[in-house]
Amino acid sequence: MADTKVRDVNKSQAIRDYLAGDPEAGPRTVVSELGSRGITVSESLVNNVKSRLKTSGQRKKVRRKKGGATASRGRAGTKSEAIRSYMTEHPEATPSEILSGLERQGVHVSHGLISMVKYTGDGRKKKRKGRRRILGRPAGRPAGRPAGRPAASAAALSANDLLEAKKLADRLGGANKVRQALDALELLR
């Protein structure tokens, strides 16, 4: 009957329980102590469990640090929120003044974060305004006419030129086809 109880024991949990009482115990000590209780474990298993205990303890500490500077001072929020609240109290403050004021409060932030929050409003990227760039056309030029073709006024064309343009449009199938043909011709240049 004693054998079945020993086999049902979780060895890793037994090691953790022993290390909770004596965290500085070496692997050989843990193996011999658990062996006297009827639990057979290897030194490598003890080392593995010890290293996981150390790692999990370090991870918890890191997570607490990353919880936000204001959270560690008893106030809920993030660093950006701390910057915004300081700016509401001191609306004319420069980024350097905000930095020194938050340092006095125990909140550690970077100068870049302060500038981003102060000058971009909510701290997020703004949508770009303007036209998307289309292949073959410079960004600042209207989309209606191809590059290099000057805007022609109706007065500069003679009646003969207009009649020839109408014949060409009729042959190609309309004014839109003529525009497409001119755009394609411009791209070939």
Side-chain angles (χ1 to χ4, degrees):
M1 269 194 150
D3 260 353
T4 58
K5 287 186 179 178
V6 171
R7 286 184 184 172
D8 291 342
V9 172
N10 183 335
K11 293 179 182 183
S12 297
Q13 187 60 47
I15 295 169
R16 283 191 289 272
D17 292 341
Y18 183 82
L19 290 173
D22 186 10
E24 300 300 320
R28 289 186 182 166
T29 307
V30 175
V31 168
S32 64
E33 287 295 319
L34 290 178
S36 67
R37 295 180 191 172
I39 302 170
T40 307
V41 295
S42 66
E43 286 184 30
S44 62
L45 179 60
V46 174
N47 283 327
N48 192 357
V49 171
K50 280 185 82 166
S51 68
R52 286 185 184 181
L53 285 174
K54 287 180 186 176
T55 306
S56 66
Q58 290 171 351
R59 283 184 190 154
K60 288 178 184 175
K61 288 178 188 174
V62 170
R63 285 185 189 138
R64 280 189 218 121
K65 285 181 184 175
K66 288 184 179 179
T70 56
S72 64
R73 296 288 177 202
R75 294 184 306 263
T78 63
K79 292 178 180 184
S80 297
E81 289 172 0
I83 295 168
R84 286 186 202 103
S85 67
Y86 190 88
M87 288 187 334
T88 57
E89 295 169 9
H90 308 89
E92 298 298 318
T94 64
S96 297
E97 293 168 349
I98 295 170
L99 179 67
S100 62
L102 290 175
E103 288 288 330
R104 283 192 299 271
Q105 293 177 6
V107 179
H108 303 285
V109 293
S110 68
H111 198 276
L113 178 63
I114 293 170
S115 295
M116 185 183 72
V117 171
K118 180 173 175 68
Y119 296 117
T120 61
D122 62 357
R124 294 185 213 124
K125 288 186 177 180
K126 301 284 184 183
K127 284 188 176 180
R128 276 184 35 184
K129 292 184 179 177
R131 274 184 220 124
R132 289 188 311 166
R133 188 172 182 154
I134 300 173
L135 291 177
R137 294 185 179 153
R141 186 185 46 73
R145 69 174 201 274
R149 193 175 96 200
S153 66
L157 297 174
S158 67
N160 206 17
D161 292 336
L162 290 174
L163 287 174
E164 290 295 320
K166 174 142 179 41
K167 288 178 187 175
L168 177 64
D170 290 340
R171 269 189 284 150
L172 291 176
N176 286 336
K177 292 286 188 179
V178 172
R179 284 188 193 98
Q180 289 176 355
L182 288 173
D183 288 341
L185 180 64
E186 190 63 36
L187 289 175
L188 292 175
R189 286 187 186 183

